Amino acid sequence: QPVQPAPATTSSVNTKPISGEETTGRLLGKIGMFAVFIGIVFLIKYGYDQGAISDGGIVAIVALAGVICLALGKFLKSKYELYAQVLMGGGIGILYLAVFSMVSVFHLVPVSMGLVCAIIVTALSVVISLIDDAPLMAIIGVIGGFLSPFVLAFSGQEGYLLPFSYILFIDV
């Protein structure tokens, strides 16, 4: 009599297959957050061109939009975990955009103060990543942190000590 193979055992890990609806929802959430980000870029451009809102007002609105995305993501975290991560990642990106517009577009603060603000946004991203166990937030924070010196348009007038000190600080 032939020997029957042993039945496959199921692992103790409960792996739920990802549905097409869930995959589509993730993609649409990311596309929506990207659309919000682009809309805020156009708000900055419009405010800069038209002078409709003061420079400080535009930066405040952009920063407020970032904080609202972070707060809404934190609020929705328990029910919609992946969507909340997209919202919080978009909020961090918008805060980086506020720092960029404050330093490079409107010249409201010197580059050194912009780097301090970028460090704060990066630290916020890392803290959120650790608290919520969200690796996407850590990735966004690291990318934003290392791109900040280049995006804030160093002209060389500030010297090279400041950007390299910033990168050294981020490395630590």
Side-chain angles (χ1 to χ4, degrees):
Q1 190 171 23
V3 178
Q4 296 292 333
T9 59
T10 59
S11 67
S12 61
V13 178
N14 185 10
T15 58
K16 185 174 98 176
I18 298 175
S19 68
E21 181 179 348
E22 190 173 331
T23 304
T24 305
R26 288 180 193 176
L27 179 64
L28 290 177
K30 290 175 185 175
I31 290 170
M33 195 70 237
F34 182 72
V36 168
F37 189 80
I38 295 299
I40 290 175
V41 168
F42 281 120
L43 169 72
I44 293 170
K45 175 78 171 126
Y46 178 78
Y48 181 76
D49 290 344
Q50 301 297 321
I53 305 171
S54 71
D55 297 346
I58 292 172
V59 172
I61 290 170
V62 172
L64 181 65
V67 169
I68 288 172
C69 284
L70 285 172
L72 190 58
K74 191 68 174 164
F75 176 74
L76 295 174
K77 178 86 172 130
S78 63
K79 192 169 183 182
Y80 304 105
E81 184 175 351
L82 296 174
Y83 181 66
Q85 285 184 14
V86 169
L87 272 174
M88 289 190 290
I92 292 293
I94 291 169
L95 288 176
Y96 277 123
L97 188 62
V99 171
F100 167 74
S101 65
M102 178 174 60
V103 174
S104 297
V105 177
F106 300 118
H107 308 288
L108 296 175
V109 296
V111 174
S112 58
M113 184 55 127
L115 286 177
V116 169
C117 292
I119 287 171
I120 292 170
V121 173
T122 302
L124 177 65
S125 177
V126 169
V127 167
I128 290 172
S129 170
L130 293 174
I131 290 173
D132 290 341
D133 191 29
L136 176 66
M137 295 298 294
I139 292 169
I140 291 171
V142 167
I143 290 171
F146 280 110
L147 286 179
S148 292
F150 305 106
V151 172
L152 294 179
F154 284 107
S155 62
Q157 295 173 346
E158 298 85 9
Y160 293 100
L161 181 63
L162 186 64
F164 287 119
S165 299
Y166 172 82
I167 291 174
L168 177 66
F169 182 78
I170 292 293
D171 280 341
V172 172

